[in-house]
Amino acid sequence: MSQTPQTLLINGEWRASVDGITQEVNNPANGTVIQTISQASTADVVAALEAADAAFPVWAGMSARDRARFMHDAMDIFRANLDAAARLLTLEHGKPLNDSIKECRYSADVIDFYAEEGRRIDGTHFAGDLGPTHSFVLRQPVGVVAAITPWNFPVDLLAWKLGPGLAAGCTFVIKPPSEAPLAATAFVRAFAEAGLPPGVLNVVTGPGGSVGAEMVTNPLSRKIAFTGSTATGLWIAEQAARQLKHVTLELGGSAPFVVCDDADLDAAVPDALRRAYSHTGQICISVNRIFVQRGVYEPFVERFTAAASKLRVTADGLAEPDADMGPMINAKAIDTVRQHVADALERGATVTTGGDSPTGPLYANGYFYLPTVLTGVHRDMRVMQEETFGPLAPIAVFDTLEEGVKMANDSPYGLAAYVYTADLDRAFYAAKHIRSGGVGININDITDMRGPFGGMKMSGTGRELGQPGMDSYMEFKHVRLRHRAPR
Ligand code: NAD
């Protein structure tokens, strides 16, 4: 019997890769190996795409009600094993266990939500203007979807794709991230155990440059659902354009957090703090830049710095499930934070807390960086223009709201933004003029599965969640019918 791990799911069968290549999954908090998994070869990816293509008429031909049953059954199974999946997620990503549990629960809710949305797919019909005609619009699944996800929310961001896509009747080849593939694979296992027909959902883990690239360029995939960096997203967009594939691209961000002088600082400070440092700042909607109106700038900086310096960084997210943050994902991620801090200091910024890795034996073998606050920042610094994707919060001052909004918009990205104010007119002005796919007013999260989520500018194209998230997995077919008086 083969010793190679059977972690690829192709046509309903858990398999090793055809060429036997494996990879280790490491714990970023201490460097230990959690598990060895199979790494797909190009031949495995092609087999997975062929399986998804063959399964497409079967799955698309089922009633939405039957598809919903599979999806609900899968989530019943997943919930029964949720603690184990959440523990895996904490081990492979480093996030404290409570954050992993929250992610797994939300992911299951998204699947259940879309299972029912699939049953509500309806269409438009209208009588024609010219003569006795009638038109109706069929919504049909786009076909095989290649879904590629990053390591920061490996379960959630998969659910955002599988939920609407499976409900619409699409079949999938998914590539979980190499850094954190285990919890996502556990999520998929629940679908397999629920008896999903073979080929409807296939998993190929491996490097983006080979496995991901084949999924994108092979003509069998008709839609690319991608969440990841802007650089990879741009490459995917170019490849997809050559075959006019559907794309949804959820890319990088640099969210501004705008605090007006009438804001309730008792809410603004902890909310900014949570959104800047939760998941060690490795969220696409993390606060990357804070802008505070002059009247409250000093108290805000003082309170934010004091609170940031007290955050609990854990080297064991299982033992400390309610810690504020864990490690970063890898050495490259830390390096970006270090570069952004060094660049800002060189150009005149000040570190008010953090600015380095924590010391001590607990942190010695992991990728840790302290919650860090910078003041005296300006637009020419890398931290103000690039996505840091780490626990770094630069704070700048503004005078008028118009200026604050202008500063918030001074970024190539436009995914999320947050505005804190007690004034409805200010709130509405900011919500209208900030160029981002979502704006939170006195709330530090723009995610609700019933509303669309996605980016403007270099943060992406298309929307996930909500009705647009469902529509993006369907073709709209206009059927026009001429009718006559019966003979
Ligand atoms: P990444 O682009 O390096 O990788 C994302 C995924 O793409 C991985 O699975 C990777 O293996 C794969 N990939 C890499 N090269 C590929 C290629 N040529 N073809 C196909 N697939 C390829 O991003 P990352 O570092 O894993 O994730 C962090 C980034 O994701 C950040 O920029 C973050 O803002 C972004 N992100 C965006 C959202 C959103 O909803 N907008 C959500 C989470 C993360």
Side-chain angles (χ1 to χ4, degrees):
M1 208 171 88
S2 159
Q3 293 300 305
T4 331
Q6 322 263 307
T7 51
L8 308 179
L9 178 62
I10 299 172
N11 204 20
E13 231 181 86
W14 290 97
R15 301 190 199 168
S17 85
V18 288
D19 49 18
I21 298 179
T22 59
Q23 67 166 87
E24 290 175 346
V25 182
N26 296 300
N27 183 335
N30 56 28
T32 56
V33 177
I34 308 165
Q35 203 176 306
T36 301
I37 60 166
S38 279
Q39 193 174 95
S41 66
T42 304
D44 295 311
V45 181
V46 172
L49 287 164
E50 286 171 352
D53 190 49
F56 177 61
V58 178
W59 185 246
M62 245 179 223
S63 71
R65 181 162 167 264
D66 288 344
R67 288 198 293 263
R69 276 212 186 113
F70 280 112
M71 295 168 73
H72 289 312
D73 286 353
M75 290 307 98
D76 288 347
I77 293 168
F78 182 67
R79 284 195 185 90
N81 298 289
L82 191 138
D83 284 350
R87 290 176 78 83
L88 274 180
L89 182 52
T90 287
L91 289 174
E92 64 186 340
H93 177 284
K95 61 181 91 178
L97 186 60
N98 286 355
D99 287 337
S100 296
I101 291 172
K102 197 171 152 204
E103 175 173 346
C104 290
R105 284 190 184 147
Y106 194 76
S107 304
D109 287 352
V110 168
I111 299 291
D112 280 338
F113 171 76
Y114 275 109
E116 294 307 309
E117 283 300 283
R119 299 181 64 188
R120 285 187 273 268
I121 295 172
D122 55 14
T124 313
H125 65 90
F126 50 90
D129 276 342
L130 301 173
T133 63
H134 203 90
S135 286
F136 49 97
V137 181
L138 295 181
R139 293 208 253 160
Q140 296 178 316
V142 295
V144 174
V145 179
I148 301 172
T149 46
W151 47 265
N152 64 339
F153 285 92
V155 186
D156 214 9
L157 296 172
L158 182 57
W160 291 19
K161 296 165 180 56
L162 289 181
L166 288 175
C170 294
T171 55
F172 277 81
V173 175
I174 67 159
K175 191 190 92 56
S178 301
E179 297 86 346
L182 304 178
T185 305
F187 192 61
V188 169
R189 204 170 279 281
F191 285 93
E193 286 175 15
L196 207 67
V200 172
L201 181 47
N202 304 273
V203 182
V204 285
T205 317
S210 54
V211 173
E214 180 63 28
M215 289 166 68
V216 169
T217 54
N218 190 302
L220 287 177
S221 62
R222 287 312 307 158
K223 173 177 167 108
I224 317 298
F226 174 76
T227 305
S229 65
T230 296
T232 308
L234 284 172
W235 183 83
I236 288 175
E238 283 169 20
Q239 303 308 311
R242 288 169 199 270
Q243 298 177 50
L244 293 180
K245 295 187 183 191
H246 295 247
V247 287
T248 302
L249 300 172
E250 299 282 7
L251 310 177
S254 173
F257 193 101
V258 179
V259 184
C260 296
D261 55 11
D262 59 5
D264 174 7
L265 292 195
D266 289 343
V269 170
D271 283 7
L273 201 75
R274 168 86 187 152
R275 191 49 66 224
Y277 300 116
S278 152
H279 289 68
T280 323
Q282 301 170 117
I283 314 183
C284 52
I285 59 168
S286 283
V287 169
N288 220 87
R289 298 167 294 141
I290 301 178
F291 301 105
V292 186
Q293 202 159 14
R294 197 168 299 277
V296 291
Y297 176 75
E298 282 186 15
F300 183 92
V301 169
E302 200 176 302
R303 290 172 65 172
F304 187 85
T305 300
S309 67
K310 290 197 195 90
L311 291 176
R312 203 150 44 99
V313 182
T314 183
D316 185 345
L318 294 180
E320 293 183 275
D322 60 348
D324 296 299
M325 54 184 249
M328 300 198 67
I329 194 70
N330 54 32
K332 191 167 158 259
I334 291 213
D335 198 43
T336 305
V337 183
R338 286 194 195 288
Q339 285 181 30
H340 283 196
V341 171
D343 171 77
L345 294 181
E346 250 169 53
R347 293 166 192 261
T350 304
V351 170
T352 63
T353 185
D356 211 340
S357 294
T359 50
L362 268 183
Y363 302 115
N365 298 315
Y367 304 114
F368 292 94
Y369 200 87
L370 287 168
T372 298
V373 180
L374 291 173
T375 55
V377 293
H378 55 77
R379 71 173 304 280
D380 298 331
M381 295 174 178
R382 288 182 63 186
V383 68
M384 301 303 275
Q385 293 300 331
E386 298 173 23
E387 181 184 45
T388 309
F389 224 56
L392 181 55
I395 311 180
V397 64
F398 70 89
D399 286 302
T400 64
L401 180 59
E402 198 182 356
E403 187 194 359
V405 166
K406 214 169 151 194
M407 290 162 90
N409 282 336
D410 186 12
S411 163
Y413 297 107
L415 184 60
Y418 312 94
V419 180
Y420 278 62
T421 176
D423 181 313
L424 187 61
D425 293 335
R426 287 175 153 196
F428 189 71
Y429 175 88
K432 191 171 165 194
H433 289 95
I434 290 181
R435 297 273 304 152
S436 67
V439 181
I441 306 288
N442 296 324
I443 186 166
N444 66 354
D445 191 355
I446 55 156
T447 315
D448 182 316
M449 66 183 86
R450 287 164 300 172
F453 181 102
M456 294 185 182
K457 303 194 276 184
M458 298 306 272
S459 288
T461 180
R463 293 291 180 270
E464 294 195 300
L465 302 183
Q467 187 60 45
M470 183 97 199
D471 287 348
S472 76
Y473 287 88
M474 291 182 285
E475 300 274 14
F476 285 57
K477 184 186 281 178
H478 180 182
V479 179
R480 197 157 174 248
L481 174 78
R482 193 202 308 272
H483 47 89
R484 300 187 182 145
R487 275 179 245 167

